Amino acid sequence: MQTELLTGRAVFTEAYAVIPKGVMMDIVTSYLPLWENTRLWVLSRPLSGFAETFSQYIMEVAPGGGSDRPELDPAAEGALFVMEGEITVELDGRPHVLRPGGFGFIPPASAWRLRNHGNVPARFHWIRKAYEAVEGLDAPEAFFINEADITPAPMPGTDGKWATTRFVDPADMRHDMHVTIVTFEPGAVIPFAETHVMEHGLYVLEGKAVYRLNQDWVEVEAGDFMWLRAFCPQACYAGGPGNFRYLLYKDVNRHMRLSR
């Protein structure tokens, strides 16, 4: 409304960014070639002073929409996570139906299609990364699963108040990125400033919290996205009254590049 004041929680710094749900309006949507009845919100992209290893979209596909050539970059691997509606991913001639909580991993150079055969719009995250091949290691195979079929792994010493739902075995060196779901019960905390080499993308799925990003405390809630550059200190307090959950991306299991 033209009568409203300019207020909001959006923050963009050299160490982190916060894109709150309130700014993800129609005016900031994007479109992709060879996708039908589809729009998206770009949450991150490789950019000087911003994300370096990944891009992340929120895709919104109307009934009947989708693409027969979703990915145009043969070097890109992908992770899909469904929030609303239903999508069908056809890979190597086999259909896989993903509903809310559904997760799919798409290896690089895959021939796949995606369609919404349902009656309501489907909304899902699509995380893309240029796969870093290692001589002697095969690329990981595709797989599809739902978070409900995975038992979250509790963080030691937290009585289960802080737990991680892992879609990939951390010891599987074929994977160079992990996408997980992190859950905090009300009042649970990260009680120290995590400072590490992994870059992060965090999308809040549920609840609210106060997150420590570099030197700042920032309130976040369901629908917000955070980007954290490598080594940005981070911690949080889960605010309740329900669980605080977020979808987490990080780059893993590879040597540090010594040249650009």
Side-chain angles (χ1 to χ4, degrees):
M1 296 294 294
Q2 295 294 289
T3 56
E4 293 183 2
L5 295 177
L6 175 61
T7 59
R9 297 178 290 112
V11 180
F12 191 96
T13 76
E14 64 180 10
Y16 71 89
V18 178
I19 303 177
K21 66 176 182 179
V23 304
M24 297 185 206
M25 298 184 180
D26 294 347
I27 197 172
V28 295
T29 53
S30 298
Y31 299 89
L32 293 175
L34 307 182
W35 281 79
E36 304 160 9
N37 300 324
T38 299
R39 64 178 184 170
L40 65 149
W41 289 263
V42 178
L43 300 180
S44 69
R45 54 162 288 187
L47 180 74
S48 176
F50 192 45
E52 295 186 352
T53 62
F54 75 110
S55 69
Q56 184 164 349
Y57 310 151
I58 295 178
M59 305 288 293
E60 184 178 88
V61 182
S67 176
D68 292 333
R69 290 182 59 195
E71 178 59 77
L72 302 181
D73 186 346
E77 59 186 329
L80 310 175
F81 180 79
V82 178
M83 295 189 295
E84 301 173 20
E86 177 182 296
I87 58 175
T88 299
V89 179
E90 183 180 318
L91 180 65
D92 296 329
R94 293 187 57 191
H96 304 271
V97 179
L98 298 179
R99 298 180 176 90
F103 178 89
F105 172 77
I106 312 293
S110 294
W112 59 292
R113 300 177 178 182
L114 187 147
R115 289 285 165 185
N116 176 3
H117 296 307
N119 298 319
V120 297
R123 290 169 63 94
F124 61 94
H125 285 264
W126 183 9
I127 299 172
R128 302 168 63 243
K129 182 182 183 298
Y131 182 66
E132 296 184 52
V134 175
E135 185 177 357
L137 287 179
D138 294 331
E141 67 276 355
F143 68 90
F144 300 88
I145 196 170
N146 195 288
E147 64 161 314
D149 299 323
I150 303 172
T151 301
M155 183 67 70
T158 66
D159 295 325
K161 299 181 184 302
W162 172 7
T164 302
T165 301
R166 304 186 189 279
F167 297 109
V168 170
D169 182 354
D172 189 343
M173 291 294 108
R174 298 176 302 165
H175 286 274
D176 65 352
M177 72 169 177
H178 285 169
V179 178
T180 63
I181 295 175
V182 180
T183 301
F184 291 91
E185 294 182 1
V189 301
I190 299 177
F192 63 99
E194 290 190 33
T195 309
H196 51 62
V197 70
M198 286 86 76
E199 181 177 33
H200 276 346
L202 292 85
Y203 180 86
V204 183
L205 297 169
E206 180 183 345
K208 62 182 181 179
V210 182
Y211 226 95
R212 177 67 179 251
L213 301 170
N214 203 10
Q215 301 177 19
D216 307 316
W217 286 100
V218 179
E219 285 188 294
V220 293
E221 63 177 343
D224 292 351
F225 175 78
M226 292 174 275
W227 163 77
L228 285 65
R229 75 175 302 167
F231 299 109
C232 176
Q234 58 183 284
C236 82
Y237 285 88
N243 287 343
F244 174 61
R245 301 195 325 133
Y246 54 79
L247 187 71
L248 172 68
Y249 160 89
K250 60 182 176 182
D251 51 314
V252 296
N253 297 342
R254 292 298 184 264
H255 276 292
M256 304 301 104
R257 295 182 180 181
L258 301 182
S259 61
R260 303 294 292 178

